[in-house]
Amino acid sequence: MNHKIEITVEGMTCGMCATHVETALNSLSEVANVRVPDWKQGTAIVSLEASGGETLDESRVRTAIESGNNYKLTGIRAIAGETPELKSGTNTDPGPEPGPDTDIDLVVIGTGGAGMAGALEAARLGKKVIIVERGTTGGTCVNVGCVPSKAIIKAANYFHLAEHSPFAGVQLVRQSLDWEQLVAAREELVAELRGEKYEKVLQASEGITFKQGAARFVRTKSGYPAVELSTGETLLARRYLIATGAHPHIPDLPGADTVGLLDSTSALFLKQKPESMIVIGGGFIAVELAQSFSRLGVRIESIEARSTYFTFRVGFGRFGRSDPSLSRRGHSGH
Ligand SMILES: Cc1cc2nc3c(=O)[nH]c(=O)nc-3n(C[C@H](O)[C@H](O)[C@H](O)COP(=O)(O)OP(=O)(O)OC[C@H]3O[C@@H](n4cnc5c(N)ncnc54)[C@H](O)[C@@H]3O)c2cc1C
């Protein structure tokens, strides 16, 4: 028999709230399906798992709905099927699964966006988590990806607009560019965001322990997989999450090793402004960096094998777009 529960929630104000509540309830293991038919009515209809779905722990429902949100659980009642036993304030977690003898639920490898999201969600569900990092906390996005690249894009845009006013009759005077100061300010921004969004979040998260070191998998004597850190410490857990990201791919180009090849990371952190640069590839990262460097006065030649920039695959589809602004002064494409 499929048990159904109606849950009343206060504080939903739009369709997105309905999605948040559905996601929160779906995170409970005993929940098979959730529907918020109309956020204005403030109710969610929950179907419980047929197996082991005899109980619904009110305190877990409350935690799922209320933590980090402005919603309030105001009611919970059975509406169909056999009346499930509604337990109040008790924990129905079956406890540790049979397996390795450890109190660590999850070891997460990597502190980038993926690792952080996994660790925080597991901790929110009451799990004991260890997150390990071999490099700088925060991974690609904050340290060498989204944040520093968007900072340079924004700066380059201001520099560009100073000579290309979008308004007729508004003439701006472009002064000078201090590359070193620009790079220093960007490093400051990166450090600040890394501190606020990653380091402090990890420190403040109960249930998550951070460990520095490169991880590799080993097998314990009893045959269970474990993570061994470069510090020599071995971490045995019930589950492991590999969130180790990716790194720039250097294609097999004859002679590439003789020309001081840059990748996105080394290009972003050049201490001095180059006179010119050849950018190979027309994906998002190549194009945004090429355009920014071009706007900052670097002579850019772009090389892309396909006929359009931004060509990428989504499922089985293929999309591409050429941006005419890329062929403006100082930036030629091939
Ligand atoms: C220049 C650039 C600009 C970008 N701009 C955007 C953007 O505007 N918007 C956007 O959405 N995305 C952007 N991205 C992509 C985005 O940064 C990545 O998709 C995202 O950071 C991937 O997150 P992740 O957690 O999977 O991996 P990562 O952030 O790479 O994290 C992986 C972590 O695992 C650690 N690790 C690896 N191996 C081990 C090991 N053995 N032991 C311990 N730790 C290990 C690494 O040190 C790293 O810290 C950009 C990327 C680049 C390079």
Side-chain angles (χ1 to χ4, degrees):
M1 179 69 73
N2 201 7
H3 304 301
K4 278 211 169 123
I5 308 277
E6 185 190 75
I7 289 175
T8 336
V9 180
E10 222 176 73
M12 284 195 269
T13 54
C14 63
M16 273 312 287
C17 294
T19 310
H20 291 156
V21 167
E22 283 175 354
T23 307
L25 290 169
N26 261 322
S27 69
L28 298 170
S29 55
E30 56 271 63
V31 167
N33 183 271
V34 184
R35 211 162 37 86
V36 174
D38 181 357
W39 62 266
K40 293 184 206 105
Q41 287 172 9
T43 50
I45 309 299
V46 172
S47 305
L48 297 183
E49 287 286 354
S51 58
E54 308 286 308
T55 61
L56 190 62
D57 185 335
E58 189 183 322
S59 68
R60 295 186 66 225
V61 176
R62 187 176 297 285
T63 307
I65 289 181
E66 296 184 359
S67 356
N69 295 314
N70 285 329
Y71 313 129
K72 195 163 168 10
L73 174 72
T74 52
I76 177 164
R77 70 183 183 100
I79 54 171
E82 288 166 16
T83 308
E85 182 194 343
L86 299 180
K87 290 177 96 184
S88 185
T90 50
N91 187 359
T92 53
D93 190 331
E97 296 162 20
D101 182 17
T102 174
D103 65 342
I104 302 167
D105 294 300
L106 179 70
V107 166
V108 177
I109 307 172
T111 57
M116 287 288 288
L120 289 169
E121 182 60 11
R124 193 183 70 77
L125 295 170
K127 304 296 177 191
K128 190 168 176 187
V129 181
I130 294 182
I131 188 164
V132 304
E133 174 57 57
R134 71 173 177 192
T136 312
T137 307
T140 303
C141 186
V142 72
N143 293 304
V144 295
C146 330
V147 171
S149 67
K150 266 71 238 173
I152 202 166
I153 287 169
K154 190 87 176 170
N157 193 35
Y158 277 111
F159 197 62
H160 172 78
L161 286 177
E163 242 192 11
H164 301 84
S165 167
F167 298 102
V170 177
Q171 300 303 327
L172 300 165
V173 179
R174 185 148 96 177
Q175 296 273 345
S176 60
L177 172 72
D178 186 331
W179 185 271
E180 278 177 32
Q181 208 179 333
L182 182 63
V183 169
R186 208 191 39 199
E187 281 175 19
E188 227 172 84
L189 174 74
V190 165
E192 185 188 327
L193 289 182
R194 182 173 57 235
E196 291 296 323
K197 306 280 181 199
Y198 292 82
E199 291 163 350
K200 282 190 187 164
V201 170
L202 284 180
Q203 281 158 16
S205 298
E206 267 181 48
I208 304 181
T209 305
F210 170 78
K211 288 184 188 282
Q212 188 78 49
R216 67 179 190 122
F217 280 102
V218 293
R219 218 163 255 289
T220 62
K221 283 195 186 109
S222 44
Y224 290 110
V227 157
E228 187 183 81
L229 292 184
S230 47
T231 54
E233 190 175 359
T234 301
L235 306 169
L236 182 63
R238 293 193 190 99
R239 297 274 189 276
Y240 301 92
L241 173 62
I242 303 172
T244 48
H247 53 82
H249 167 68
I250 306 291
D252 187 16
L253 298 173
D257 52 344
T258 63
V259 296
L261 203 66
L262 300 166
D263 58 23
S264 62
T265 305
S266 46
L268 271 172
F269 288 88
L270 281 171
K271 293 282 179 221
Q272 285 180 338
K273 191 179 96 171
E275 283 296 310
S276 62
M277 198 184 263
I278 293 174
V279 178
I280 304 170
F284 300 107
I285 291 170
V287 171
E288 66 180 12
L289 290 184
Q291 187 192 46
S292 302
F293 278 114
S294 165
R295 288 180 163 183
L296 291 171
V298 180
R299 222 174 46 255
I300 297 287
E301 302 275 337
S302 283
I303 299 175
E304 164 57 50
R306 301 188 191 105
S307 57
T308 53
Y309 288 106
F310 304 135
T311 305
F312 63 100
R313 284 170 187 276
V314 175
F316 298 107
R318 208 171 169 79
F319 300 83
R321 186 160 77 87
S322 279
D323 182 344
S325 76
L326 294 173
S327 53
R328 286 199 193 125
R329 187 158 63 88
H331 188 149
S332 50
H334 300 278

